[in-house]
Amino acid sequence: MEKIIQITQFLEANQADMTFITNPTTLHYLTGLDIDPHERIAGLMIFKDREPAIFTPALEVAKAKDKTTGFDVFGYEDAENPWQVIKAYLGDRPITRIAVGYPDITLAKIEGLKSVFSGVSFIDISSLIQHMRLIKSPDEILKMKKTGEFADKCFEIGFAAAASRGGITETDIVAKIEFEMKRLGVPAMSFETIVLSGARAANPHGYPENIAIEENKLLLFDLGTMYEGYASDATRTIAIGEVADFDKEIHKIVLEAQLAALDFIKPGVSALEVDKVARDVITKAGYGEYFNHRLGHGIGMECHEFPSIGGTEDITIEEGMCFSDEPGIYIPGKVGVRIEDCVVVTKTGCDVLTHTPKELQTF
Ligand code: MN
Ligand code: MN
């Protein structure tokens, strides 16, 4: 309920009457209820002076009651106008200002709220939620560690599949990894698994195809799992057979950059400094122009969340933050290497959430 109190204080400070929070991940974070309403409407309504309420499609009401405590739950049938149901639920309570997540709520939902609360205005609550989600609790950190273990398991499965040869393709390897994860009870990957062979890995946003992996080339894996609502995200680049000395050199530089940042991360340093430590290694080696993305991103209930590590905005690193350290060098038509771990910041440094070896492994 501490989270709800923080939101109530936001409502007080901003003269807002209630929230209407529609982002399913935020709903999960604040209430423990994990639902995807698809095109239907679910909203978390927190007030200054009464019990918070969860509004869901009727189909989800039983689950919402079962999975949450301290929330009043009410729903609407498909044949009902959801906005009228909300209005009826609130009776004569005046609603003049509603706190919503600007990046998430659709214009259709805004219009729906306006249709029953005439003259209502809105305020963005997303920055507060981002900051609440930024510092992970001990329970969240345990889940981050567990989901990291599943990512390590993915590498083990993927490397073995690649080592089996026999014309195995990028998408074959993806299928093997994801099949085994499902069997282990992982409900979903945190994003589409990436397996890219040779020069195809030079596109940092490339996607796997049904193309046989190349012998004597590097093979890049970028993957992650969901576990109890928490995401993992990690990248390893391995050698299939005997790769060129040039490829080994690029791998060595990226690893050095990745380790330099890991070594530097601790409370009190800034995100831009962390990025710079890794970037300087790559720049000094002469490949700065081929490291064309920020060093990392926050991670938690979503694979990419606040804050950015590198880029334009800066933030001071604090204990309990989780984010990725993922430098890369991408030389078009030639080679792509990225090495990524996510970390949780501790009192004096950071704990790494994935433990698959990072030195160039040959299969
Ligand atoms: Mn990442
Ligand atoms: Mn990744």
Side-chain angles (χ1 to χ4, degrees):
M1 280 299 128
E2 200 180 306
K3 293 173 184 169
I4 302 300
I5 292 166
Q6 267 184 275
I7 292 185
T8 304
Q9 287 165 348
F10 176 92
L11 297 176
E12 295 276 5
N14 292 282
Q15 288 90 45
D17 306 298
M18 70 169 192
T19 65
F20 196 77
I21 293 170
T22 55
N23 178 315
T25 311
T26 304
L27 188 76
H28 189 183
Y29 174 74
L30 293 172
T31 69
L33 175 64
D34 183 11
I35 55 167
D36 182 353
H38 300 287
E39 75 285 5
R40 294 190 178 97
I41 295 154
L44 173 60
M45 297 155 64
I46 298 169
F47 305 90
K48 285 179 279 198
D49 55 357
R50 57 158 288 173
E51 181 182 37
I54 299 170
F55 174 67
T56 75
L59 296 168
E60 307 283 359
V61 165
K63 180 176 175 183
K65 285 185 173 162
D66 186 44
K67 297 286 183 189
T68 65
T69 47
F71 295 90
D72 193 26
V73 177
F74 71 113
Y76 73 101
E77 304 282 348
D78 283 344
E80 289 179 301
N81 175 326
W83 311 110
Q84 294 292 351
V85 173
I86 291 169
K87 173 75 181 156
Y89 174 80
L90 294 174
D92 294 334
R93 174 175 282 261
I95 301 291
T96 59
R97 195 160 161 81
I98 304 177
V100 298
Y102 282 14
D104 317 306
I105 197 163
T106 61
L107 193 51
K109 287 171 190 160
I110 291 290
E111 290 298 327
L113 289 165
K114 281 168 120 176
S115 73
V116 290
F117 304 115
S118 63
V120 71
S121 66
F122 298 94
I123 180 164
D124 187 14
I125 198 170
S126 58
S127 173
L128 171 67
I129 308 262
Q130 274 183 346
H131 283 87
M132 288 171 71
R133 280 171 52 177
L134 180 63
I135 305 297
K136 271 65 179 178
S137 69
D139 177 57
E140 290 183 292
I141 291 168
L142 279 181
K143 289 173 181 168
M144 292 298 292
K145 288 185 171 168
K146 187 72 193 169
T147 192
E149 285 172 21
F150 281 118
D152 281 327
K153 186 77 188 160
C154 289
F155 287 130
E156 191 186 318
I157 296 160
F159 296 174
S164 72
R165 303 296 202 277
I168 194 162
T169 68
E170 292 171 352
T171 46
D172 284 336
I173 297 173
V174 170
K176 280 187 195 269
I177 292 169
E178 297 190 356
F179 174 77
E180 289 300 331
M181 281 302 113
K182 277 279 185 329
R183 291 188 62 188
L184 289 173
V186 169
M189 306 306 286
S190 55
F191 58 95
E192 300 274 339
T193 303
I194 295 170
V195 176
L196 294 169
S197 170
R200 290 169 45 71
N203 175 0
H205 275 164
Y207 54 88
E209 291 185 59
N210 198 19
I211 296 173
I213 63 169
E214 285 186 84
E215 194 65 27
N216 305 324
K217 295 284 182 185
L218 295 176
L219 184 63
L220 182 149
F221 292 76
D222 187 352
L223 50 81
T225 55
M226 294 305 296
Y227 171 76
E228 291 192 356
Y230 286 80
S232 56
D233 181 12
T235 306
R236 292 291 183 271
T237 307
I238 62 170
I240 299 300
E242 188 55 41
V243 301
D245 287 345
F246 181 73
D247 293 3
K248 288 183 192 168
E249 178 64 17
I250 296 297
H251 188 279
K252 188 166 152 261
I253 296 162
V254 173
L255 179 56
E256 197 186 317
Q258 208 260 358
L259 294 173
L262 280 187
D263 200 44
F264 181 77
I265 294 163
K266 62 171 188 285
V269 302
S270 89
L272 287 183
E273 287 172 331
V274 176
D275 178 278
K276 186 172 184 303
V277 163
R279 199 167 298 279
D280 281 352
V281 172
I282 293 176
T283 303
K284 277 185 193 135
Y287 296 97
E289 65 179 297
Y290 300 108
F291 175 19
N292 54 8
H293 57 74
R294 62 183 177 178
L295 181 67
H297 52 84
I299 186 167
M301 297 186 82
E302 284 171 296
C303 189
H304 282 209
E305 56 182 53
F306 181 74
S308 232
I309 306 298
T312 52
E313 278 177 47
D314 205 5
I315 188 168
T316 301
I317 303 300
E318 289 178 59
E319 186 181 358
M321 285 185 185
C322 291
F323 55 85
S324 71
D325 166 15
E326 51 178 306
I329 296 178
Y330 314 94
I331 306 176
K334 277 191 147 173
V335 64
V337 173
R338 179 169 61 259
I339 300 173
E340 171 181 28
D341 291 304
C342 290
V343 303
V344 52
V345 179
T346 61
K347 273 194 170 44
T348 54
C350 66
D351 283 345
V352 181
L353 299 169
T354 34
H355 304 285
T356 300
K358 288 182 282 201
E359 296 70 35
L360 187 60
Q361 298 191 73
T362 301
F363 290 85

